[in-house]
Amino acid sequence: MMRGQDPRPWCWALGALLMVWLSVPALASTADHRQFEELEGPFASGEEVTEACLGCHTEAAEEVMATRHWTWEYHNPVDGEVLGKKSMLNGFCIADRSNEAFCQACHIGYGWEDETFDFSNPFKVDCLSCHNTGDYKKVAGLAGHPAYERTEYPPGSGKFHGPTDLVEVARNVGPTSRETCGSCHFYGGGGDGVKHGDLDSSLVEASRTLDVHMGLDGGDFRCSTCHQTESHAVPGSRIQVSAVDDNRAIRRGEQTDRNPATCQACHGNAPHEEGAMATRLNEHTRALACQTCHIPAFARGGVPTKMAWDWSTGGQLDEDGKPFQRKDDDGHVIYDSKKGDFTLGENVVPEYVWFNGDVTFTTTETEIDPDNAPVPINTYHGTPGGEDSRIWPVKLFHGKQPYDTVHNTLLVPHVAIPDDTAFWFNFDWTKALEAGTEAAGQPFSGEFDFVETTMLWPITHMVAPSEQALTCGSCHAEEGRLAGVEGVWLPGRDRHERLDRFGFGLAGLMLLGVLGHGALRVATRHRRKEH
């Protein structure tokens, strides 16, 4: 670049090259695992596969066991509480405790079915859960194991699984993919698209219009393209969100503690580079998360997301005393005897909140006020107009779940494991709550009811192409998208009565002046002619 030359085109070109580099699929491995004698088997269990893997990948298990994917725990920086999937509450399946053998089908380990699980055993790490390239499925109910032989589960259900060919799976391992990551993250909360709204199976073979990054005709990104992983630690979290990243783009190879999964990590804090509105749009990034304009709706791929779940209606049986399901006109389940009523949504317009990344949670120990429902299971913090906050799009989920009417705490139910205390198998709430709270170490008075709850989930996937981003009129209108957001002055929506009076008064005086001047000109025209 010559002295005095505008540097911006060079920066734009480097940015474009970075995006191309990030969008190129990972190079093929230099190791063909089909040639390894160690993987010829036979393998009787997943642990034996892991033992073979660790013969070469000697540090992999130790790295995995240091991550939240393994521990399902983290320390909340807001209040220091130890939280995580294994102890937190939600409005969907409510809690992991007592249901571990079912829920841990999405754990990257083998054998976690209760509090006795050995988190220090490296052979319990499931390498195949993330690195399989097909024909590998962990069965809900088998404590993180696949079916090693043809297995009916639940017993007597008529549903059979497996057997899994562990040798074939192990000899065909590869990099992580949208499908392997999505096998858990797309199905959180009880099914495809249930929980997040912006993560579902439609992203496996997405189009550019659904997600400009992951679309097969777009960037064709893997999840790891943005969630760049080191030592098996995956950056980015729905529990601990990087809500504000007011920085330039991260250079390739740069050593930094920043989260590489933020929009700014690639696009920088001034992403709009062309057009007359670029400067004005870049100024908006001081108040708006990128996702606010670039994700106009979620659940756009044809998979509906649950917007509400009412557990209180669960347990209804048909005339033969059997559980049943009810479906809508599109074949989607909207009532299940095991779970209650659902409200589904597609192409959902998000809610918008000020968010600085700090979240507090209602736990099994939190005393709630049922007379002030809905009870927020999580609360997003942020200061309207604050430098540390941005307006974020969120999915607002509504639940109705059991609580202790004496202790005023949300309760942990035992639902999923086939025994005489699980709600899905006996439809007895008292037994289910007694078993669940005992497993969670939670006091239970025996008296319960159901209370409405809410939960927020950040929307950050399903990024639409730029031509589908929100326009100015989407917000700058009386009933625009940000109508309910405090601390924002929006021309076209907001008014100040005194300022309006002053402005209209000034305009009136100007009009009177013009009319008066015109009248004088007319009245004195004859004098001007004589003169």
Side-chain angles (χ1 to χ4, degrees):
M1 183 176 67
M2 298 179 63
R3 181 177 299 178
Q5 186 176 353
D6 187 349
R8 288 176 296 179
W10 289 90
C11 296
W12 297 339
L14 287 172
L17 286 172
L18 175 63
M19 291 302 295
V20 170
W21 169 70
L22 286 172
S23 65
V24 173
L27 296 176
S29 172
T30 56
D32 182 356
H33 288 75
R34 291 172 297 180
Q35 305 299 320
F36 289 3
E37 292 183 4
E38 293 86 347
L39 299 181
E40 291 180 356
F43 300 117
S45 67
E47 288 95 333
E48 291 185 7
V49 176
T50 298
E51 185 175 4
C53 295
L54 296 181
C56 290
H57 303 278
T58 56
E59 309 305 310
E62 294 298 326
E63 292 177 352
V64 167
M65 291 190 294
T67 71
R68 286 181 293 189
H69 270 92
W70 175 255
T71 63
W72 280 20
E73 275 189 347
Y74 91 107
H75 288 81
N76 189 356
V78 178
D79 51 22
E81 272 191 306
V82 178
L83 300 172
K85 290 173 65 67
K86 75 177 184 182
S87 60
M88 291 173 64
L89 297 170
N90 61 68
F92 300 91
C93 289
I94 300 181
D96 176 64
R97 290 290 173 88
S98 80
N99 302 296
E100 288 94 338
F102 186 89
C103 299
Q104 265 65 347
C106 274
H107 182 245
I108 53 172
Y110 298 114
W112 184 359
E113 57 184 344
D114 55 33
E115 69 280 359
T116 65
F117 179 69
D118 185 0
F119 286 92
S120 65
N121 185 344
F123 300 140
K124 292 294 184 181
V125 172
D126 180 3
C127 307
L128 301 180
S129 60
C130 297
H131 292 287
N132 80 86
T133 57
D135 296 323
Y136 183 76
K137 181 180 180 181
K138 295 172 39 127
V139 179
L142 300 187
H145 290 280
Y148 300 125
E149 57 187 21
R150 190 169 186 266
T151 303
E152 183 184 22
Y153 193 90
S157 66
K159 298 180 180 179
F160 289 87
H161 310 272
T164 302
D165 188 339
L166 292 175
V167 172
E168 184 68 15
V169 176
R171 286 159 60 88
N172 287 279
V173 293
T176 60
S177 65
R178 293 191 297 272
E179 190 167 13
T180 53
C181 296
S183 65
C184 285
H185 290 284
F186 294 163
Y187 295 88
D192 192 2
V194 165
K195 183 186 291 183
H196 299 291
D198 63 343
L199 286 172
D200 61 49
S201 62
S202 66
L203 293 172
V204 173
E205 296 184 356
S207 66
R208 178 178 177 273
T209 56
L210 174 59
D211 190 289
V212 70
H213 298 120
M214 288 187 272
L216 299 178
D217 54 344
D220 196 15
F221 283 13
R222 301 171 185 269
C223 301
S224 59
T225 305
C226 293
H227 298 272
Q228 297 175 29
T229 302
E230 292 187 11
S231 302
H232 286 89
V234 182
S237 169
R238 292 305 182 91
I239 299 175
Q240 187 178 347
V241 181
S242 297
V244 178
D245 183 5
D246 192 18
N247 293 282
R248 58 168 176 77
I250 298 174
R251 301 186 184 95
R252 182 179 181 182
E254 179 180 352
Q255 297 299 310
T256 176
D257 292 331
R258 286 173 56 194
N259 179 5
T262 67
C263 299
Q264 289 81 0
C266 275
H267 299 282
N269 55 5
H272 306 94
E273 299 171 340
E274 298 179 358
M277 289 290 291
T279 300
R280 175 64 67 185
L281 291 174
N282 285 334
E283 290 176 353
H284 278 62
T285 64
R286 293 182 297 180
L288 301 176
C290 302
Q291 294 88 334
T292 296
C293 293
H294 290 278
I295 307 178
F298 56 89
R300 301 201 319 272
V303 178
T305 187
K306 281 188 173 64
M307 299 300 297
W309 184 331
D310 183 355
W311 278 95
S312 70
T313 61
Q316 299 177 28
L317 304 177
D318 65 17
E319 58 187 13
D320 297 322
K322 302 292 184 181
F324 67 95
Q325 292 182 337
R326 188 165 50 246
K327 299 182 179 181
D328 63 16
D329 293 340
D330 296 318
H332 303 305
V333 176
I334 55 175
Y335 177 81
D336 188 328
S337 295
K338 292 182 176 182
K339 302 179 179 181
D341 282 291
F342 308 130
T343 300
L344 308 180
E346 291 189 68
N347 297 305
V348 182
V349 173
E351 302 287 328
Y352 298 93
V353 298
W354 284 101
F355 187 34
N356 62 13
D358 292 344
V359 189
T360 52
F361 296 88
T362 295
T363 70
T364 57
E365 299 175 352
T366 305
E367 185 173 345
I368 66 170
D369 181 4
D371 294 327
N372 192 28
V375 175
I377 294 179
N378 63 347
T379 301
Y380 280 21
H381 299 281
T383 304
E387 289 291 328
D388 67 342
S389 304
R390 299 292 184 272
I391 297 173
W392 266 76
V394 296
K395 171 183 172 178
L396 174 60
F397 178 80
H398 293 269
K400 193 170 184 181
Q401 57 199 86
Y403 81 101
D404 191 306
T405 57
V406 175
H407 298 303
N408 282 335
T409 52
L410 295 179
L411 294 171
V412 174
H414 175 49
V415 297
I417 309 305
D419 58 39
D420 63 357
T421 64
F423 183 75
W424 291 356
F425 300 93
N426 67 7
F427 303 105
D428 186 324
W429 273 117
T430 299
K431 287 185 176 180
L433 293 171
E434 286 175 346
T437 53
E438 181 181 0
Q442 180 186 24
F444 178 44
S445 69
E447 302 294 328
F448 68 94
D449 201 348
F450 293 83
V451 65
E452 293 182 356
T453 59
T454 58
M455 197 167 189
L456 299 179
W457 294 90
I459 297 300
T460 191
H461 302 95
M462 295 189 177
V463 177
S466 58
E467 60 268 20
Q468 295 178 13
L470 298 184
T471 61
C472 301
S474 301
C475 297
H476 292 273
E478 289 189 10
E479 299 300 324
R481 293 202 175 208
L482 303 185
V485 179
E486 298 179 355
V488 182
W489 178 272
L490 292 174
R493 183 198 72 173
D494 296 316
R495 304 178 63 180
H496 192 288
E497 186 175 350
R498 290 184 179 178
L499 185 61
D500 284 350
R501 288 179 179 177
F502 175 78
F504 283 122
L506 183 61
L509 290 174
M510 293 174 63
L511 180 60
L512 287 174
V514 171
L515 292 174
H517 176 75
L520 288 173
R521 296 277 293 180
V522 171
T524 59
R525 66 183 186 280
H526 296 295
R527 295 181 182 180
R528 293 199 304 275
K529 288 180 179 180
E530 293 174 358
H531 179 72

